[in-house]
Amino acid sequence: MPEGGRPGVVGDHIMSGERSILMSVRNLSVHFPSGKGETVKAVTDLTLDIRRGEVFGLVGESGSGKTTLGRAMLRLVDLTTGSVEYDGDDLSHLTGKQMRPYRSRMQVIFQDPYGSLNPRMRVDAILGEAVTLLGGGDSLSERVSELLDLVGLPAASQRRFPHEFSGGQRQRICIARALAVRPEFIVADEPVAALDVSIQAQIINLLQDLKDELDLTMLFIAHDLAVVRHISDRIGVMYLGRMQEIGPADAVVADPHHPYTKALLSAVPVLDPGARVGRQILKGDMPSSINPPSGCVFRTRCPIADDECAATIPELRGDSSRSTACLKVT
Amino acid sequence: MIAQPQVLEVEQLVTVFDTPDGPVRAVDGFDISVGPRETVALVGESGSGKSVTCLSIMGLLPQSGRIHGGAIRFMGENLVQASESRRRELRGSSIAMIFQEPMTSLNPVFRVGMQISETIRAHLGGSAENASKRAVELLDLVGIPEAGRRARNYPHELSGGMRQRVMIAIALACEPKLLIADEPTTALDVTVQAQILELLKDLQSDLGMAVLFVTHDLGVVAGIADRVHVMYAGQGVESGKVLDVYRRPLMPYTEGLLLSIPQLVATGSERRLPTIDGQSPSAGLRAEGCAFLERCRYARDLCREGSVDLEMREDRSVRCRRVDDLVLSGTTS
């Protein structure tokens, strides 16, 4: 495994065309106290690498731990066990102060562009604050205009307040704010979930353009498999805090290996009124992450689970391109 | 085609809201009908007027809103002229509605079984004992396991999918002829959404309800509806059988909606999604000509003048001046 390689540094060409690992998560668990003396196991024993320039799509239903994983990568939550390495540096035990140099290299875009902008600040102040807090050096007003241009907003937006914009435009402001410090790595947590269909496509295209233009690496979190398939190079499927399957986006969608991925794909509504038959519908709800099932966490809803699945925790097995955590998949 | 008696017929509905800037037409001359055992989808983006249409039908408009014109006929009876007490009688018994957010539609301090039996007693009378027995039956009907025990749960003890099932149980308590479902699965996870959609389909065929299904999700429409109406800026812009509309949309807005959704199965080497530029106009700020004009890539000078009428084409309708010279793409062949 090439460690800490920057583009152009020896080690980049170990596997032809593959770039160095930027974000490396090893055996990560994030557990929270629930307040009743119980423990919420949001993420458990999760390992994942994201390479430079890659868009890694993370799917899973609410409660699967995908947001917590994103936050752990940015060290916005404390890690219970395991490690998070960014560009070769171990972030796992850094203090808030020690994290500061990394804050400008890693940024986040949230789902709700209404809740994440200060309603009393004008756009130039929102963006200017981000530039001065972490970036510095630039001529402020020039940089603000540059950022607005980058996300496709008119320069006149500068003197306006967030409420004067539509949802899609507000998400553009949030994206501009994230880009203000010239980050390399972006966690986009459901960035289009709150937007109308016709606006979603605009924002997805914008993120793709920015990714190419600025050579960004991205963790793209969404519950919408079609959106994730469209934008991602690889997809990871989470269920109840554990990674169930990882693989190239098109391959996972075209040929899912894990029974949960199969069920998830089967549940996605398709735009073809003729395709109504033969859908597989999962029974029940996801169990609580306070008391996850023994063995395989998916076994209680799995159509092919047996006694073995209750006894053994399946590990993520496979090669670097495709892996599945299921005892029944060989 | 023999004219079927419709369960719901909305004709030229105009719903107006009073705002500080004067009255705004949130719904502006909208037609829709739902026949017995039929599922009709109403599709549109936020602000298109689809929820206001539902609230107008239910008689649940907020204080600032009022029906300004048109007719809403339920089993032939015009509800626009009906008294508030008649409206209340129908609401929850013959016409029921389920909403997007089951958590805010349920009362957090009452057990769910009681919330169902309360509905039954309010409309049908009878003893408390019979009503609670019926509540458990209904919870069972909507697929809640251990219904007897679950009836004693409070809403917060249930998952989102379970809560929506409880809402459906309440809606079905008096065996309505018309069920209005306003984005009932939007807040749910996709596997739970599939469960609820399947449940609604089964219940409809068992109970023979007419369903008006409101959603922004064209994939959900494809899975559940017989016919679809597309709404834009308070007006109907296209309607027809789901299969026909998806195969060959007649209105550029419908085409734009269908094409801008990422598909699960990659259709070739598409990298960029086709988009509809700009955003929906604010209600009440409509200029001359077609409401979709500014965002339409097929717009010509002829689209700028006057108001564009909804034209009937056999069993479809469309609001577009260029309908005869455009061949638009759909999602299925």
Side-chain angles (χ1 to χ4, degrees):
Chain A
M1 189 199 325
E3 273 195 2
R6 287 193 171 266
V9 176
V10 181
D12 261 11
H13 50 80
I14 286 181
M15 293 176 81
S16 61
E18 286 215 347
R19 301 175 69 184
S20 62
I21 291 164
L22 185 64
M23 172 59 71
S24 176
V25 174
R26 288 277 165 276
N27 304 102
L28 174 73
S29 294
V30 182
H31 296 170
F32 301 105
S34 77
K36 293 179 193 164
E38 294 165 319
T39 306
V40 178
K41 302 180 178 82
V43 173
T44 304
D45 196 19
L46 193 140
T47 295
L48 169 68
D49 288 328
I50 302 177
R51 293 180 180 276
R52 264 186 200 278
E54 184 179 38
V55 178
F56 189 91
L58 196 56
V59 291
E61 300 176 87
S62 17
S64 62
K66 49 194 199 302
T67 292
T68 303
L69 174 59
R71 289 173 163 261
M73 285 184 182
L74 302 175
R75 278 297 320 278
L76 295 174
V77 293
D78 286 332
L79 319 182
T80 308
T81 55
S83 67
V84 169
E85 276 185 26
Y86 182 76
D87 203 8
D89 301 342
D90 190 350
L91 308 183
S92 315
H93 307 290
L94 297 191
T95 61
K97 201 173 172 187
Q98 288 167 328
M99 272 302 293
R100 276 190 68 88
Y102 296 95
R103 293 277 171 238
S104 59
R105 298 174 66 185
M106 310 150 76
Q107 283 288 308
V108 58
I109 303 164
F110 296 104
Q111 170 174 351
D112 177 15
Y114 299 83
S116 41
L117 294 171
N118 186 333
R120 291 166 183 275
M121 281 168 78
R122 293 182 203 268
V123 171
D124 55 357
I126 290 171
L127 298 181
E129 184 181 58
V131 174
T132 41
L133 268 181
L134 289 170
D138 296 299
S139 155
L140 206 59
S141 66
E142 242 172 66
R143 180 71 182 138
V144 168
S145 317
E146 202 179 292
L147 285 166
L148 288 172
D149 189 49
L150 202 57
V151 298
L153 285 174
S157 314
Q158 286 200 40
R159 299 298 297 157
R160 297 218 189 143
F161 290 99
H163 76 263
E164 297 176 72
F165 296 89
S166 66
Q169 289 172 322
R170 256 180 269 206
Q171 196 56 290
R172 286 175 195 266
I173 298 171
C174 292
I175 293 170
R177 181 177 57 184
L179 296 175
V181 295
R182 304 182 200 275
E184 307 160 302
F185 180 65
I186 298 222
V187 173
D189 192 353
E190 298 274 12
V192 299
L195 305 176
D196 269 322
V197 176
S198 73
I199 308 299
Q200 273 195 12
Q202 294 175 12
I203 298 295
I204 292 169
N205 284 343
L206 172 67
L207 285 171
Q208 272 184 327
D209 292 345
L210 290 171
K211 189 238 146 202
D212 291 344
E213 207 177 317
L214 307 174
D215 195 24
L216 299 170
T217 306
M218 212 182 291
L219 178 74
F220 189 96
I221 302 172
H223 66 282
D224 186 328
L225 261 158
V227 168
V228 170
R229 203 276 308 152
H230 180 83
I231 198 168
S232 308
D233 301 308
R234 285 192 303 150
I235 289 181
V237 182
M238 280 183 82
Y239 186 83
L240 216 55
R242 289 178 182 269
M243 193 65 87
Q244 304 297 331
E245 177 161 9
I246 296 179
D250 288 333
V252 169
V253 169
D255 175 29
H257 290 172
H258 197 284
Y260 177 61
T261 315
K262 285 182 187 162
L264 199 58
L265 281 163
S266 175
V268 174
V270 286
L271 277 179
D272 179 0
R276 290 184 189 187
V277 284
R279 300 216 312 182
Q280 177 205 347
I281 294 182
L282 276 186
K283 301 254 184 303
D285 293 305
M286 199 190 301
S288 148
S289 49
I290 291 172
N291 272 317
S294 65
C296 171
V297 285
F298 182 58
R299 70 176 166 85
T300 54
R301 298 171 79 197
C302 180
I304 58 169
D306 59 20
D307 292 349
E308 188 192 5
C309 303
T312 314
I313 298 175
E315 280 180 44
L316 204 58
R317 286 175 307 178
D319 51 39
S320 61
S321 72
R322 195 79 198 265
S323 50
T324 310
C326 177
L327 300 172
K328 303 291 158 201
V329 174
T330 41
Chain B
M1 210 172 89
I2 309 156
Q4 257 189 326
Q6 300 291 307
V7 176
L8 176 73
E9 268 182 294
V10 173
E11 265 176 37
Q12 286 302 300
L13 176 69
V14 178
T15 302
V16 174
F17 278 83
D18 292 318
T19 72
D21 304 323
V24 164
R25 288 181 172 224
V27 177
D28 194 4
F30 184 60
D31 296 320
I32 194 168
S33 65
V34 189
R37 292 178 176 273
E38 194 183 26
T39 299
V40 177
L42 177 52
V43 173
E45 298 181 87
S46 17
S48 60
K50 54 192 195 308
S51 288
V52 175
T53 301
C54 295
L55 295 177
S56 303
I57 297 167
M58 289 298 286
L60 287 174
L61 286 169
Q63 285 263 303
S64 57
R66 63 183 188 279
I67 295 172
H68 184 262
I72 298 169
R73 273 189 284 277
F74 173 71
M75 311 292 290
E77 178 182 356
N78 189 351
L79 301 182
V80 175
Q81 282 144 14
S83 67
E84 181 49 37
S85 64
R86 173 65 182 148
R87 287 282 229 163
R88 196 177 306 129
E89 197 183 320
L90 291 173
R91 190 163 52 222
S93 59
S94 303
I95 311 176
M97 183 163 177
I98 51 178
F99 299 89
Q100 173 173 346
E101 202 5 276
M103 193 58 199
T104 50
S105 317
L106 289 169
N107 191 327
V109 298
F110 291 108
R111 299 178 199 275
V112 295
M114 198 224 149
Q115 299 192 46
I116 303 172
S117 51
E118 183 191 29
T119 309
I120 298 169
R121 296 190 72 201
H123 287 286
L124 306 175
S127 74
E129 199 184 337
N130 283 341
S132 29
K133 229 190 259 167
R134 176 81 183 124
V136 174
E137 280 170 29
L138 283 162
L139 286 174
D140 192 48
L141 178 75
V142 298
I144 291 187
E146 302 176 73
R149 188 172 67 83
R150 287 300 187 182
R152 298 192 47 79
N153 279 157
Y154 291 96
H156 77 266
E157 298 176 286
L158 303 176
S159 68
M162 288 288 175
R163 282 182 214 136
Q164 195 57 284
R165 286 175 194 265
V166 171
M167 284 307 299
I168 294 170
I170 294 175
L172 299 181
C174 303
E175 298 181 2
K177 293 201 166 53
L178 173 66
L179 177 69
I180 299 178
D182 189 359
E183 303 263 13
T185 59
T186 306
L188 304 176
D189 275 314
V190 59
T191 60
V192 180
Q193 165 170 283
Q195 293 171 1
I196 298 291
L197 291 177
E198 204 63 19
L199 172 69
L200 283 172
K201 269 196 269 185
D202 289 348
L203 290 171
Q204 179 183 32
S205 59
D206 292 352
L207 307 174
M209 293 178 292
V211 176
L212 176 60
F213 195 101
V214 179
T215 179
H216 69 282
D217 188 328
L218 289 160
V220 169
V221 172
I224 196 165
D226 307 305
R227 288 189 296 126
V228 59
H229 282 250
V230 182
M231 228 177 159
Y232 188 78
Q235 297 185 317
V237 292
E238 171 152 16
S239 71
K241 290 203 183 86
V242 173
L243 208 58
D244 296 341
V245 172
Y246 281 46
R247 198 170 280 160
R248 197 201 144 198
L250 296 178
M251 163 79 190
Y253 176 61
T254 315
E255 180 194 50
L257 281 183
L258 286 170
L259 298 187
S260 64
I261 303 170
Q263 298 273 339
L264 202 49
V265 181
T267 48
S269 58
E270 105 282 18
R271 168 94 171 121
R272 290 184 69 83
L273 293 168
T275 58
I276 306 174
D277 291 334
Q279 54 210 350
S280 310
S282 325
L285 290 177
R286 199 169 314 119
E288 278 262 284
C290 173
F292 187 56
L293 177 81
E294 296 299 328
R295 305 177 73 190
C296 183
R297 58 164 133 167
Y298 305 104
R300 295 286 181 275
D301 281 345
L302 77 150
C303 308
R304 296 188 180 280
E305 291 147 32
S307 62
V308 184
D309 295 328
L310 194 69
E311 280 182 57
M312 296 306 294
R313 297 275 153 129
E314 294 169 28
D315 61 347
R316 301 181 66 173
S317 72
V318 57
R319 194 186 293 272
C320 176
R321 287 249 164 83
R322 299 198 60 204
V323 59
D324 290 316
D325 57 275
L326 290 178
V327 178
L328 305 178
S329 335
T331 52
T332 50
S333 46

